[in-house]
Amino acid sequence: MVSSSACPRPSRPLVLRAMCLATSTTPRSARPDKSSSTKAWGDQLDPTKLSGIRFLADPTGAFTKALDLGFDVIPVFGNTRSKRYAIVVEDGKVKSVHVEPDNTGTDVSMADKVLG
């Protein structure tokens, strides 16, 4: 599962790997290093490194762009942000995609909703 939302610990053993993705499309000169902030996020949410969650940075937004999951918040934040979503992948194939209809909510992308 890949998620751009805050990732709770997986509750079902069928999840072999959970990943949280932090995205920024702000010009590099105007933003802090995303990999450093993603590491800090992981250190805060999983200090023992026992959850099995992997925290990833998408500093240029290339992954988000490839999935067409960005949304325009330039008037508010000055950049494009990633929609909140979860993707379930089994055996290297996408099984399901759960994109929040309002881009930022937690109605469909939380682990309990995705994994049932």
Side-chain angles (χ1 to χ4, degrees):
M1 182 174 80
V2 178
S3 178
S4 65
S5 61
C7 294
R9 288 188 169 85
S11 61
R12 292 179 52 182
L14 82 92
V15 176
L16 300 177
R17 176 166 290 159
M19 293 176 233
C20 289
L21 181 71
T23 302
S24 176
T25 57
T26 306
R28 181 165 295 284
S29 61
R31 70 170 184 262
D33 178 22
K34 193 53 118 179
S35 60
S36 295
S37 42
T38 302
K39 181 184 180 320
W41 184 38
D43 289 345
Q44 181 181 6
L45 295 174
D46 185 21
T48 62
K49 310 288 188 253
L50 297 175
S51 71
I53 297 172
R54 189 168 171 196
F55 294 84
L56 305 171
D58 182 19
T60 65
F63 185 75
T64 299
K65 288 175 195 169
L67 295 176
D68 195 26
L69 288 174
F71 71 103
D72 180 0
V73 287
I74 292 171
V76 178
F77 294 112
N79 61 4
T80 301
R81 296 285 173 112
S82 175
K83 296 178 182 182
R84 188 169 296 212
Y85 63 92
I87 301 173
V88 177
V89 179
E90 287 184 10
D91 298 322
K93 296 183 180 177
V94 174
K95 179 180 176 186
S96 60
V97 179
H98 309 266
V99 181
E100 293 296 342
D102 69 353
N103 299 328
T104 61
T106 56
D107 293 328
V108 301
S109 65
M110 297 300 287
D112 60 333
K113 303 283 173 80
V114 172
L115 302 175

